Amino acid sequence: MAFIHAVNGISQLLTAGICFYSFFHFIKKDEKIAEIGKIIGTAGFFYLMIACLNFLWLFSLLAPSDKDFLLLNTIMTVVISFLTTFMIFKITSSKNIIYLLILYITSIFAANFSLKAFLIASDAASYLLLTIVFVELAFASKGHMRKAGDMGIFYCIASVLASALYFFDNSHQSLWFVPTLIMGLVYTHILKSIKDGGIPKSSKKVRPESFADYMKVLARFMMFMASITLFVLVST
């Protein structure tokens, strides 16, 4: 267990360091880039807090429990999902991402689940949301920004696998360092992309302009809710 906490803590500390470096680099740029830096810096603060908690568990200054781990992991997942989605909106200027973010928040707080099912549904909604926005980032960008989108998709896959393994056998907690480091690579590619050429201009439409566009948003919502419901039914 000590090794698990050490590996998780180190990976979170490294990712926090990337976030803080990005923050101090972006804060000196123009207003839009500075806003992205603040978002990444906020994410770094949460990674740092979780890293400190893992080190407290490592040195037996706090007694960890499975419930603590599950709750804190869900809180971290929701926070990072919200911040990452908002950051990608700032990069792509796609209003569809804002619609998805509103649906995401609504789906979490409107559902009448038990605590365990609520945590599972929150994780499922977070990974589904991130998969959608990372796919949009990958297809709407090129270079390092596209690589950030690709790595983000791998982050979602790794997180889902780590979650599934944890629910079946909590000895697999050590796998959480994998998605954490992948997210660190996402931030690194975003940093490199903005350092090389600023925020890339997206060819995406800024807002839906036809009935078909609104239907696409509705279809995403239906798929979003169906996936969460299925995930909860399978996991409980």
Side-chain angles (χ1 to χ4, degrees):
M1 189 65 72
F3 174 77
I4 292 174
H5 297 318
V7 172
N8 285 340
I10 291 172
S11 65
Q12 290 152 358
L13 198 60
L14 288 173
T15 302
I18 294 171
C19 291
F20 291 141
Y21 177 82
S22 300
F23 167 75
F24 286 113
H25 182 80
F26 291 163
I27 202 68
K28 303 173 184 178
K29 305 295 182 180
D30 62 60
E31 183 178 355
K32 190 171 184 179
I33 294 178
E35 288 178 356
I36 294 173
K38 291 175 184 178
I39 295 170
I40 297 178
T42 303
F45 175 74
F46 280 95
Y47 276 113
L48 180 61
M49 286 197 304
I50 298 298
C52 291
L53 188 58
N54 271 282
F55 288 128
L56 290 176
W57 288 338
L58 172 64
F59 296 109
S60 300
L61 298 176
L62 286 178
S65 69
D66 291 339
K67 290 183 178 179
D68 291 340
F69 180 85
L70 183 60
L71 179 61
L72 289 171
N73 178 70
T74 298
I75 293 173
M76 186 68 180
T77 300
V78 170
V79 169
I80 294 302
S81 298
F82 179 86
L83 291 173
T84 302
T85 302
F86 190 58
M87 174 185 68
I88 294 176
F89 163 71
K90 289 292 185 179
I91 293 172
T92 64
S93 298
S94 173
K95 292 295 177 62
N96 285 341
I97 291 179
I98 290 298
Y99 301 149
L100 286 171
L101 190 58
I102 294 172
L103 295 176
Y104 166 68
I105 296 172
T106 303
S107 66
I108 290 179
F109 292 103
N112 186 19
F113 294 138
S114 65
L115 178 59
K116 182 179 179 181
F118 172 77
L119 297 178
I120 294 172
S122 298
D123 287 343
S126 299
Y127 299 141
L128 182 59
L129 173 69
L130 285 177
T131 300
I132 293 172
V133 297
F134 277 130
V135 166
E136 179 149 354
L137 179 64
F139 279 95
S141 308
K142 59 183 180 179
H144 283 293
M145 198 63 76
R146 177 161 190 160
K147 290 180 181 178
D150 293 337
M151 294 307 301
I153 296 170
F154 284 119
Y155 165 81
C156 296
I157 295 172
S159 297
V160 169
L161 291 176
S163 296
L165 289 172
Y166 175 75
F167 282 116
F168 283 111
D169 180 3
N170 60 21
S171 65
H172 290 284
Q173 289 182 25
S174 58
L175 290 177
W176 284 107
F177 82 90
V178 176
T180 300
L181 291 176
I182 294 176
M183 183 57 82
L185 291 176
V186 171
Y187 294 133
T188 300
H189 283 299
I190 291 174
L191 171 65
K192 289 181 178 179
S193 177
I194 295 178
K195 285 177 69 175
D196 290 345
I199 300 176
K201 293 183 178 180
S202 174
S203 61
K204 291 274 188 178
K205 291 178 288 186
V206 173
R207 63 179 180 179
E209 297 177 348
S210 68
F211 178 75
D213 291 314
Y214 284 107
M215 292 304 296
K216 288 179 182 178
V217 175
L218 179 60
R220 286 183 180 182
F221 169 72
M222 298 297 291
M223 193 170 58
F224 191 86
M225 295 303 297
S227 300
I228 296 170
T229 303
L230 180 61
F231 193 92
V232 172
L233 290 175
V234 171
S235 303
T236 55

